[in-house]
Amino acid sequence: MTRANTFIWAALMLLTGLSFALGERVTASRFILLVAGVKFALVAWQFMDLRHAAIRWSAGLAGLLALILGLAVFLA
């Protein structure tokens, strides 16, 4: 494991703990979705090697994430 992978993994663990803590609150669903979006972006960028992909893949995935999270927040 590289140093960057270890840092991203630690950030993901902290964000998972934050999601758990926010899950105890009834009104925190939008924040939980935001944290899930950040986790998704970190995994896609670091572990799916999106940072080495063509810009259209990065933009497409970012747009898809924004669409999904926007709908989820709107419906929540």
Side-chain angles (χ1 to χ4, degrees):
M1 232 178 173
T2 66
R3 190 173 182 100
N5 287 348
T6 304
F7 176 73
I8 297 295
W9 178 81
L12 289 169
M13 292 298 107
L14 288 173
L15 288 171
T16 300
L18 179 63
S19 295
F20 181 77
L22 288 173
E24 298 296 319
R25 295 180 166 204
V26 177
T27 60
S29 61
R30 288 187 172 92
F31 294 115
I32 293 171
L33 290 171
L34 177 66
V35 171
V38 170
K39 287 170 55 176
F40 173 81
L42 285 173
V43 168
W45 187 258
Q46 184 68 26
F47 297 111
M48 295 171 60
D49 282 334
L50 196 59
R51 65 186 181 278
H52 298 298
I55 191 68
R56 66 177 175 251
W57 285 105
S58 298
L61 196 59
L64 180 63
L65 175 63
L67 176 70
I68 291 170
L69 286 178
L71 286 172
V73 167
F74 178 72
L75 296 173

